[in-house]
Amino acid sequence: MEGTPESGSSAPGSAEPAGSARGPEELPPEESEGCARPLEAAPKKLCGYLSKFGGKGPMRGWKSRWFFYDERKRHLYYSRTAQDANPLGSIDLSSAIFDCKADAEEGTFEIKTPSRVMTLKAATKQVMLYWLQQLQMKRWEFHNSPPAPEAALAGNGPALHLELGQEEAELEEFLCPVKMPTGLVGMAAALQPVPAMPLALQNISLKHLGTEIQNTMHNIRGNKQAQGTGRGPPGEESSPSGEPQREEQPSAPDPSTPVREPADSPKPAPKSSLTTNLIQKAKRQGNTFPLFSEGLTRNRTAQEKVVALEQQVLMLTKELKSQKELVKILHKALEAAQQEKRASSAYLAAAADEDRLELVRHKVRQIAELSRRVEALEQERESLAHTASLRERQVQELQQHVQLLMDKNQAKQQVICQLSEKVTRDFIRPPDQPSVPADAADRDFLSQQERLEHLKDDMEAYRTQNRFLNSEIHQVTKIWRKVAEKEKALLMKCAYLQARNCQVESKYLAGLRRLQEAVGAEASECVELLRQLTQEALQWEAGEASDGVEMSPISEYDEYGFLRVPDYEVEDLKLLAKIQALEVHSHYLLSLEAVERPLRERWAALAELVPSAELKQLLRAGVPHEHRPRVWKWLVHRRTQHLHTPGCYQELLSRSQASKHPAARQIELDLNRTFPNNKHFTCPTSSFPNKLRRVLLAFSWQNPTIGYCQGLNRLAAIALLVLDEEESAFWCLVAIVETIMPADYYSKTLMASQVDQRVLQDLCSEKLPRLMAHLGQHHVDLSLITFNWFLVVFADSLISDILFRVWDAFLYEGTKVVFRYALAIFKYNEEEILRLQDGLEIYQYLRLFTKTICNSRKLMNIAFNDMNPFSMKQLQQLRTAHRERLESELRELERLKAEYLERRASQGRAVPEGCASEDEGEGEA
């Protein structure tokens, strides 16, 4: 079946065998030198006649085709004859693999691409191996050469030749290089007659009948022009096909280059007049190609010098052109930098709001351009990923094929051994056995010898096939690795551009917010315009999604269902949330290759979880999303293995269904207040609210002392989001309340929670003295802010990206992690708090400032590295001291309460029961 030529390409394969006087690279003396050639020698053309299997119905069979490799387009073109102007089709070698089968007809091999498989046949086995080796080298050259041919010639030529030489040396370890078959491959093959087919019409491609007609008309016109202009001196006869005369026509195409060159393609360098004179002199001596070759033999030395000089001139011209392009690029970059500088200066110097708005619009256009570049890189990355997957499948197929061949080879070797033993037994007979007639013995011997020769030939064929397939697997593997490296580099570049895009977008939103604050109330038009620009910026994602092009890399929800940009009623808060989401994504993209990807690889390599210093560091760095359920289950089991009994959870569920717990009403009220910004708890069809209800009811029966405390719903919800299973979430809640936190942390008095707030104030005074002095000056009580942090382990305070990293370390190390992160949060925003000089303003900032933390790596580094370490022993000592002090205060309060009641009783005042209960409630408070 014939291939389809590339759109827009024409006639890479038209060749005039006798008119190949375009340059010294096609000279027959050069072709006869074999595979190896010096670096300074001109490259040989890869072309020749091969048989191609294709067609349909009665026309299906072998067809003779002229194949030629185009160095510029890196495609293998084919046409019916060497003189055709337009190719019938082409093969893209960039993604092709090659195969030869030992049991097929001699000289048969296959070229497999993702779209089709093409079966070809060479005249001899040597020609087949030469084509296969050359095609391998062309494919390797394609994957190692730079995109621009000019750059390759100017600066990377020697390096490319060095890499090709190394690849040739590596392939020689598998299969010895095959010398170029004289007369069957190269420009000399164009002189040979077209291989005859059994039927004249069988060689014609009916699929490309229009191309066949165009080629025929082109050949007829060429022959007529040659006959009209090729009348030479007496005795000089033109060749039957007119090829010698066609070589002087300016429109004569080249077998290795298209006829119709693009407008912007580089023009070939003009040939030396000396070379032209030599060629014309050779033509005058005779019109046949052999005489042309003999006429040039005497001047070979001079021509080689001319060739070397022409190549040097060509390389210098290309290098000069590339240098000029580099200067132009640098000049454009300098102009862009100067323009950016002028724009920044104009922005700073602009007095009118209209000028600043125009500059803002200019930044918007720059952001759009950057987004388009990111989209193009995304498409390129997807294309490379698809190519890499295809390569992997091809390598797997080749490996399976090699294994089959090795098994077959081993079976044949066993057959040969058996036959050899049989032959030996036939010729070494015991004396008592009757002798065999001489003629019969000779015939048996000859047949056995013939079979052995055939088996030896088969073994040699399989050995050659095995060596070639090994070389093919070796090269395909190296190409796959190079493609994987290129894909990795493009992914890094794409991530960097996405991060830069997020940073620019967040700065743009921040600039809009500052302008909106700066514009006075009297400029109503400017305020309205700024509000419109802000709304457009917030709706960028929705607009891009409706167009079918995902320009922004930020999704609406994270992997656990939390809304990245909460739908606040206050526009200013929504704008701040969008800025923060962009900053978080920017930090993630910038650390993707350097931090996140190596971290994922380390977690993937960690098969068994064992308590160790390495595991501790990995948990502090954060567990990847795909490994977190497995790690949390192990951490919970490690905490609750002495409490866990089979069937315990189902028994507690049955008890909760049989009788109603007193805390069931409060649990039902808190279900609707659990994470209103998470789709799993707000969607009416979600199963998470029912799971959460059952987990909390089971825990209320598991621990009747606590029953239910507000805040437990958030702890259980976080466990459900990660573990997804009800029973696993239940035991996670048990682990937190009964093994990690102190005993009475969630009791009615919240004694341990109050103790931890006093411990935190001591640690803040020790490690953040400036901040505590500032808060004390403005009479700010930190416990009003931090009490909820400790009660729900930051579930309501931190963004989800940081929250789950905190929980990773918390489930392993305990409450010490909560203190470390509480101190780190204040340290992270210390300078911002110190700038505030009003108590009410400080309270308002502390209520929301945890949501402004974007850089999880920076916060983790502060928590575990910058802060002076404190041990769990020190923490227990502080807790013990503050607990004794708090209990003493409560006893003193009870004593004062009793004295007060006695004093009132002694004065004869009866205290009403209702008032007494109210006083008692105040005392407890």
Side-chain angles (χ1 to χ4, degrees):
M1 190 172 184
E2 304 289 355
T4 305
E6 287 185 342
S7 61
S9 67
S10 62
S14 57
E16 294 80 27
S20 305
R22 288 179 306 276
E25 64 239 24
E26 294 98 351
L27 296 179
E30 292 289 330
E31 293 180 355
S32 63
E33 292 177 1
C35 291
R37 60 178 174 81
L39 294 180
E40 66 273 6
K44 296 179 290 294
K45 300 293 182 182
L46 180 60
C47 54
Y49 279 105
L50 294 172
S51 296
K52 174 182 172 294
F53 191 80
K56 292 183 178 180
M59 301 297 293
R60 185 170 180 81
W62 293 103
K63 301 177 185 292
S64 176
R65 294 289 181 260
W66 172 261
F67 283 82
F68 44 91
Y69 180 72
D70 186 357
E71 297 285 350
R72 285 194 310 107
K73 295 189 176 180
R74 311 295 173 90
H75 276 236
L76 184 65
Y77 291 90
Y78 58 91
S79 58
R80 187 163 56 88
T81 65
Q83 290 77 28
D84 289 346
N86 299 312
L88 297 176
S90 66
I91 306 172
D92 184 6
L93 296 184
S94 63
S95 58
I97 58 174
F98 313 112
D99 186 18
C100 64
K101 293 180 171 58
D103 53 355
E105 192 174 352
E106 182 180 359
T108 303
F109 62 98
E110 292 181 349
I111 301 179
K112 300 180 180 180
T113 64
S115 58
R116 58 176 174 165
V117 177
M118 183 174 288
T119 305
L120 305 176
K121 184 172 67 175
T124 63
K125 179 181 177 181
Q126 181 189 8
V127 176
M128 176 194 74
L129 292 177
Y130 178 80
W131 271 97
L132 288 173
Q133 287 184 343
Q134 292 299 313
L135 290 174
Q136 279 185 330
M137 295 309 301
K138 298 299 182 184
R139 181 183 59 190
W140 181 256
E141 182 181 352
F142 169 81
H143 285 283
N144 284 274
S145 60
E150 293 83 4
L153 287 172
N156 297 322
L160 179 59
H161 282 300
L162 182 61
E163 290 186 1
L164 290 176
Q166 294 175 352
E167 182 64 15
E168 288 179 358
E170 291 181 3
L171 292 181
E172 286 179 10
E173 298 178 1
F174 300 98
L175 189 65
C176 294
V178 180
K179 289 188 176 296
M180 180 178 180
T182 307
L184 296 177
V185 180
M187 292 307 303
L191 296 174
Q192 305 296 328
V194 180
M197 292 288 108
L199 296 176
L201 293 177
Q202 186 177 355
N203 203 33
I204 297 177
S205 174
L206 297 178
K207 183 178 180 181
H208 305 93
L209 192 58
T211 305
E212 291 276 12
I213 295 173
Q214 292 177 5
N215 290 335
T216 304
M217 297 301 297
H218 182 274
N219 292 336
I220 293 174
R221 287 198 302 268
N223 291 337
K224 288 182 178 180
Q225 292 175 1
Q227 293 174 2
T229 60
R231 298 185 181 90
E236 182 179 348
E237 297 178 1
S238 61
S239 62
S241 59
E243 284 87 354
Q245 287 80 6
R246 285 176 60 192
E247 69 180 4
E248 297 182 8
Q249 298 299 325
S251 62
D254 183 28
S256 59
T257 56
V259 168
R260 291 184 286 274
E261 292 288 335
D264 56 349
S265 61
K267 297 295 186 294
K271 293 181 174 55
S272 169
S273 59
L274 176 60
T275 307
T276 308
N277 292 335
L278 289 171
I279 294 173
Q280 292 177 355
K281 180 179 178 181
K283 286 194 222 174
R284 286 195 296 270
Q285 292 177 357
N287 278 353
T288 60
F289 194 74
L291 291 178
F292 165 73
S293 176
E294 293 173 2
L296 292 179
T297 304
R298 295 190 299 270
N299 300 311
R300 182 186 303 174
T301 306
Q303 288 182 3
E304 288 178 352
K305 293 180 180 179
V306 171
V307 169
L309 291 173
E310 285 184 349
Q311 288 185 350
Q312 290 180 6
V313 170
L314 182 61
M315 290 183 64
L316 290 173
T317 304
K318 298 295 184 182
E319 184 176 1
L320 178 62
K321 185 176 180 180
S322 64
Q323 294 293 337
K324 288 181 179 179
E325 291 178 354
L326 179 60
V327 170
K328 290 180 181 178
I329 292 172
L330 292 175
H331 185 66
K332 290 181 180 179
L334 180 60
E335 288 181 351
Q338 291 176 350
Q339 186 176 1
E340 185 71 19
K341 182 179 178 182
R342 287 195 295 271
S344 300
S345 302
Y347 181 85
L348 295 174
D353 293 333
E354 291 79 8
D355 296 338
R356 293 190 175 184
L357 289 175
E358 183 60 28
L359 291 173
V360 169
R361 293 191 188 99
H362 176 65
K363 291 295 181 182
V364 172
R365 290 191 293 270
Q366 288 183 345
I367 293 171
E369 179 64 26
L370 189 58
S371 300
R372 285 193 293 271
R373 289 174 57 191
V374 169
E375 179 188 2
L377 285 173
E378 280 288 346
Q379 293 176 354
E380 187 177 359
R381 182 190 66 79
E382 292 175 359
S383 175
L384 285 174
H386 179 65
T387 304
S389 63
L390 290 176
R391 291 288 165 77
E392 288 180 356
R393 287 199 296 270
Q394 292 169 2
V395 169
Q396 292 175 358
E397 291 174 0
L398 283 174
Q399 289 175 347
Q400 294 175 359
H401 188 59
V402 169
Q403 186 62 37
L404 289 174
L405 291 176
M406 292 176 66
D407 296 339
K408 188 183 292 184
N409 192 12
Q410 185 177 1
K412 290 197 173 185
Q413 287 178 355
Q414 294 175 358
V415 171
I416 291 172
C417 293
Q418 293 174 1
L419 290 174
S420 300
E421 292 176 358
K422 184 178 180 181
V423 170
T424 304
R425 287 196 303 268
D426 290 341
F427 283 96
I428 303 175
R429 296 179 180 274
D432 55 347
Q433 288 189 2
S435 60
V436 181
D439 294 341
D442 291 342
R443 284 195 301 270
D444 291 342
F445 177 74
L446 291 175
S447 64
Q448 293 290 344
Q449 288 284 54
E450 186 177 356
R451 291 182 62 185
L452 283 175
E453 291 297 329
H454 285 307
L455 288 173
K456 288 180 180 178
D457 292 341
D458 290 343
M459 284 182 62
E460 184 63 28
Y462 279 113
R463 188 178 292 113
T464 303
Q465 180 190 14
N466 188 33
R467 289 173 180 171
F468 171 74
L469 290 178
N470 286 337
S471 67
E472 179 72 5
I473 292 172
H474 171 74
Q475 192 180 83
V476 169
T477 303
K478 291 181 66 176
I479 290 174
W480 176 82
R481 288 174 180 169
K482 282 186 171 290
V483 170
E485 291 174 0
K486 290 180 181 178
E487 181 186 9
K488 183 178 180 181
L490 285 175
L491 286 173
M492 292 178 63
K493 186 176 181 181
C494 183
Y496 174 75
L497 289 176
Q498 285 183 338
R500 293 292 300 167
N501 185 29
C502 291
Q503 290 177 353
V504 171
E505 191 175 348
S506 66
K507 290 178 181 177
Y508 169 71
L509 292 173
L512 285 178
R513 183 170 174 270
R514 292 193 186 98
L515 284 174
Q516 195 170 357
E517 292 175 353
V519 173
E522 65 278 359
S524 58
E525 294 182 1
C526 293
V527 171
E528 182 63 29
L529 180 59
L530 286 172
R531 185 179 295 108
Q532 182 180 355
L533 289 173
T534 304
Q535 292 176 355
E536 290 177 358
L538 291 173
Q539 295 172 359
W540 272 347
E541 291 181 7
E544 288 156 4
S546 63
D547 295 339
V549 180
E550 188 179 355
M551 298 294 293
S552 176
I554 301 178
S555 58
E556 184 178 4
Y557 294 94
D558 65 5
E559 52 270 5
Y560 293 105
F562 286 98
L563 197 63
R564 293 189 186 273
V565 182
D567 192 13
Y568 294 117
E569 295 181 0
V570 182
E571 184 178 330
D572 206 28
L573 292 178
K574 190 173 183 179
L575 187 60
L576 287 174
K578 178 67 180 292
I579 294 172
Q580 183 214 24
L582 290 169
E583 289 292 336
V584 170
H585 197 66
S586 172
H587 287 302
Y588 170 75
L589 291 172
L590 289 175
S591 63
L592 181 62
E593 291 297 329
V595 180
E596 297 295 336
R597 201 177 300 278
L599 184 64
R600 290 176 185 272
E601 293 174 357
R602 290 180 64 186
W603 274 107
L606 200 65
E608 185 179 359
L609 298 175
V610 178
S612 62
E614 180 188 8
L615 180 63
K616 183 178 181 181
Q617 294 301 322
L618 286 174
L619 288 169
R620 287 181 174 184
V623 183
H625 169 66
E626 60 271 19
H627 299 288
R628 187 166 280 140
R630 174 176 67 94
V631 175
W632 279 28
K633 285 180 181 179
W634 178 81
L635 293 172
V636 170
H637 178 72
R638 180 169 166 267
R639 294 275 185 180
T640 60
Q641 55 186 345
H642 63 286
L643 301 173
H644 195 284
T645 55
C648 176
Y649 180 68
Q650 297 300 328
E651 181 182 348
L652 293 172
L653 285 182
S654 301
R655 191 185 304 178
S656 65
Q657 293 173 358
S659 59
K660 187 176 181 180
H661 195 277
R665 183 173 176 274
Q666 186 61 44
I667 290 174
E668 203 65 34
L669 291 175
D670 287 348
L671 285 178
N672 297 326
R673 294 196 288 251
T674 304
F675 295 138
N677 290 327
N678 191 291
K679 64 180 180 181
H680 295 301
F681 294 99
T682 55
C683 180
T685 60
S686 176
S687 61
F688 276 79
N690 292 329
K691 291 181 180 180
L692 181 60
R693 178 188 296 108
R694 289 192 288 270
V695 169
L696 294 175
L697 287 174
F699 180 81
S700 65
W701 288 106
Q702 159 76 13
N703 194 328
T705 305
I706 296 176
Y708 174 75
C709 174
Q710 286 186 343
L712 296 182
N713 59 323
R714 289 167 176 79
L715 299 178
I718 292 292
L720 269 176
L721 289 174
V722 175
L723 301 172
D724 195 41
E725 300 174 359
E726 290 182 35
E727 187 170 358
S728 299
F730 165 76
W731 287 112
C732 182
L733 183 61
V734 171
I736 294 172
V737 177
E738 299 185 8
T739 66
I740 299 178
M741 294 297 194
D744 50 355
Y745 216 84
Y746 299 96
S747 63
K748 293 181 180 180
T749 61
L750 300 175
M751 174 71 74
S753 299
Q754 298 181 54
V755 169
D756 276 357
Q757 294 307 304
R758 299 191 177 193
V759 172
L760 177 64
Q761 293 202 12
D762 283 358
L763 293 174
C764 286
S765 300
E766 176 188 347
K767 300 183 181 299
L768 301 170
R770 293 174 56 228
L771 179 64
M772 290 304 293
H774 181 72
L775 295 177
Q777 180 182 355
H778 294 282
H779 308 289
V780 175
D781 185 4
L782 278 185
S783 62
L784 298 177
I785 305 297
T786 59
F787 190 85
N788 191 56
W789 293 4
F790 282 68
L791 202 64
V792 297
V793 195
F794 302 104
D796 291 332
S797 307
L798 296 174
I799 60 174
S800 60
D801 181 64
I802 301 176
L803 172 65
F804 289 102
R805 295 175 189 265
V806 174
W807 275 57
D808 293 336
F810 165 72
L811 292 175
Y812 184 73
E813 299 184 53
T815 54
K816 180 174 64 174
V817 173
V818 183
F819 284 96
R820 283 186 175 275
Y821 271 100
L823 293 171
I825 289 171
F826 285 115
K827 182 66 177 177
Y828 190 100
N829 295 275
E830 182 179 15
E831 298 301 326
E832 293 291 336
I833 300 174
L834 291 175
R835 279 196 286 268
L836 302 176
Q837 300 299 326
D838 181 70
L840 181 59
E841 191 177 0
I842 293 175
Y843 272 119
Q844 291 177 347
Y845 178 76
L846 293 179
R847 189 170 57 89
L848 297 173
F849 82 117
T850 53
K851 294 289 187 179
T852 64
I853 298 175
C854 306
N855 194 340
S856 60
R857 295 293 165 189
K858 179 181 176 182
L859 185 66
M860 182 201 70
N861 191 54
I862 295 174
F864 295 107
N865 298 327
D866 292 354
M867 289 291 175
N868 294 327
F870 51 89
S871 62
M872 197 67 188
K873 182 179 180 181
Q874 178 186 357
L875 200 61
Q876 292 294 353
Q877 290 174 354
L878 290 173
R879 279 176 167 170
T880 303
H882 281 290
R883 188 181 187 91
E884 292 176 356
R885 193 176 299 118
L886 182 60
E887 289 177 349
S888 174
E889 291 176 1
L890 290 176
R891 285 195 297 270
E892 180 65 21
L893 188 61
E894 289 292 332
R895 186 184 64 79
L896 293 175
K897 174 185 172 184
E899 290 180 356
Y900 172 74
L901 292 175
E902 290 177 2
R903 187 167 56 252
R904 292 194 62 179
S906 64
Q907 293 176 356
R909 297 179 181 177
V911 180
E913 183 178 352
C915 295
S917 62
E918 289 179 3
D919 293 342
E920 183 178 357
E922 291 177 2
E924 290 180 356

